[in-house]
């Protein structure tokens, strides 16, 4: 049981790292154009909060046998911080102020959770408090592709939902879901079971609509950066054609 638990933790770290690194293509484009264009910075800020809370939950002072959770989410927090800072640098004035405010809010929420859990709570109560906070924001992060899935159904096209991203959302969610089950930890299993299910739905939609050309998209839909930094349709086609696909 312990060996399997460790193996799924390693696999979860590998697939999770892929997801965190996926938006690098988006940010190369932002840096090159010196503009955030129609991309949204909100997914990166919310993923950062999820990573911070999950990394904190995985620490031995909060929960046992969850070091792999801390490792991947600590790494993810560092990566997402870089994304957010780059976004703030190149965003228009109004968007810069909004994302900066959200960034400050995220740091405040995490600091409050950490301080309350350390100073006011102990044992199982601390684990419950931190686990609930991490679970809520993990579900929010995994739910972010819902608008993209709706778009796929509406347009009958998967150009906004690259295959490899959907595949690794499914694999990452499945890995951590099993890790949580083996460790008898509902705060790891529940949100990742949700992610596993959403990833499976994305894959089903992909295979249903993969050969469709789809309907023309309205210009206003191009700001759909939902799954950890989705690219524009043109970029996504390049990703699908080359080998890539989006906490």
């Amino acid at each position: 049981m312990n060996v399997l638990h460790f193996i799924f933790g390693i696999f979860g770290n590998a697939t999770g790292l892929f997801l965190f690194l996926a938006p690098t293509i988006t940010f190369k484009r932002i840096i090159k154009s010196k503009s955030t264009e129609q991309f949204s910075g909100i997914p990166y800020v919310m993923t950062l909060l999820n990573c911070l809370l999950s990394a904190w939950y995985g620490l031995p002072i909060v929960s046992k046998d969850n070091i792999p959770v801390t490792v991947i989410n600590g790494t993810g927090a560092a990566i997402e911080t870089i994304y957010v800072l780059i976004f703030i640098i190149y965003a228009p004035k109004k968007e810069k102020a909004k994302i900066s405010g959200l960034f400050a809010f995220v740091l405040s929420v995490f600091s409050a959770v950490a301080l309350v859990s350390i100073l006011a709570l102990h044992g199982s109560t601390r684990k419950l408090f931190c686990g609930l906070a991490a679970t809520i924001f993990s579900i929010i992060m995994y739910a972010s592709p819902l608008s993209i899935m709706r778009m796929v159904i509406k347009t009958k096209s998967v150009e906004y939902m690259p295959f490899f991203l959907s595949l690794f959302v499914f694999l990452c969610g499945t890995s951590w879901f099993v890790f949580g089950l083996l460790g008898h930890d509902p705060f790891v299993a529940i949100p990742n079971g949700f992610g596993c299910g959403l990833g499976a739905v994305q894959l089903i939609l992909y295979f249903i609509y993969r050969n469709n050309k789809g309907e023309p998209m309205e210009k206003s839909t191009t700001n759909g950066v939902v799954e950890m930094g989705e690219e524009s349709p043109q970029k996504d086609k390049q990703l699908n054609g080359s080998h890539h696909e989006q906490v």
Side-chain angles (χ1 to χ4, degrees):
M1 180 70 75
N2 289 335
V3 174
L4 279 177
H5 192 236
F6 177 77
I7 290 174
F8 275 97
I10 295 298
F11 192 56
N13 271 260
T15 54
L17 183 61
F18 180 93
L19 289 180
F20 290 134
L21 291 176
T24 53
I25 294 178
T26 296
F27 282 89
K28 285 180 181 178
R29 174 175 171 173
I30 288 174
I31 293 171
K32 184 176 180 180
S33 65
K34 296 183 179 180
S35 170
T36 55
E37 301 176 25
Q38 297 298 314
F39 295 109
S40 170
I42 294 176
Y44 308 107
V45 182
M46 298 311 297
T47 301
L48 172 60
L49 179 55
N50 169 66
C51 287
L52 289 171
L53 292 173
S54 295
W56 182 258
Y57 175 76
L59 291 174
I61 59 172
V62 177
S63 63
K64 296 180 179 179
D65 302 321
N66 279 327
I67 286 299
V69 175
T70 294
V71 171
I72 187 57
N73 283 286
T75 302
I79 294 171
E80 295 299 326
T81 298
I82 293 172
Y83 291 157
V84 171
L85 293 176
I86 291 174
F87 194 93
I88 290 173
I89 290 171
Y90 292 107
K93 187 175 181 180
K94 185 176 181 180
E95 188 72 7
K96 189 190 299 285
K98 181 174 76 173
I99 298 303
S100 296
L102 282 174
F103 184 45
F105 171 75
V106 161
L107 296 180
S108 298
V109 169
F110 170 68
S111 298
V113 170
L115 288 174
V116 169
S117 65
I118 285 295
L119 300 177
L121 304 174
H122 304 279
S124 60
T125 306
R126 176 186 293 168
K127 179 179 179 179
L128 176 64
F129 176 71
C130 296
L132 286 174
T135 297
I136 290 170
F137 285 98
S138 290
I139 291 176
I140 290 174
M141 183 187 74
Y142 275 124
S144 62
L146 288 175
S147 61
I148 288 293
M149 292 162 63
R150 184 172 62 248
M151 188 184 300
V152 168
I153 295 171
K154 180 179 178 181
T155 63
K156 297 180 174 59
S157 171
V158 294
E159 61 183 357
Y160 272 87
M161 193 177 69
F163 171 74
F164 283 103
L165 185 55
S166 300
L167 174 63
F168 275 85
V169 167
F170 171 72
L171 292 176
C172 184
T174 301
S175 300
W176 289 114
F177 173 62
V178 176
F179 180 88
L181 289 180
L182 293 175
H184 306 290
D185 193 330
F187 298 119
V188 175
I190 291 174
N192 287 290
F194 182 75
C196 172
L198 280 180
V201 173
Q202 289 182 58
L203 289 175
I204 291 171
L205 287 175
Y206 184 89
F207 283 106
I208 291 174
Y209 296 115
R210 69 186 187 282
N211 294 323
N212 291 6
K213 293 183 178 180
E215 301 171 359
M217 293 297 298
E218 296 178 3
K219 186 176 181 180
S220 62
T221 61
T222 59
N223 77 357
V225 187
V226 180
E227 182 64 36
M228 291 191 193
E230 289 285 356
E231 277 280 14
S232 65
Q234 181 179 1
K235 278 289 183 182
D236 280 343
K237 289 177 182 176
Q238 294 174 2
L239 291 179
N240 279 327
S242 64
H243 164 244
H244 185 357
E245 171 225 275
Q246 311 27 210
V247 9

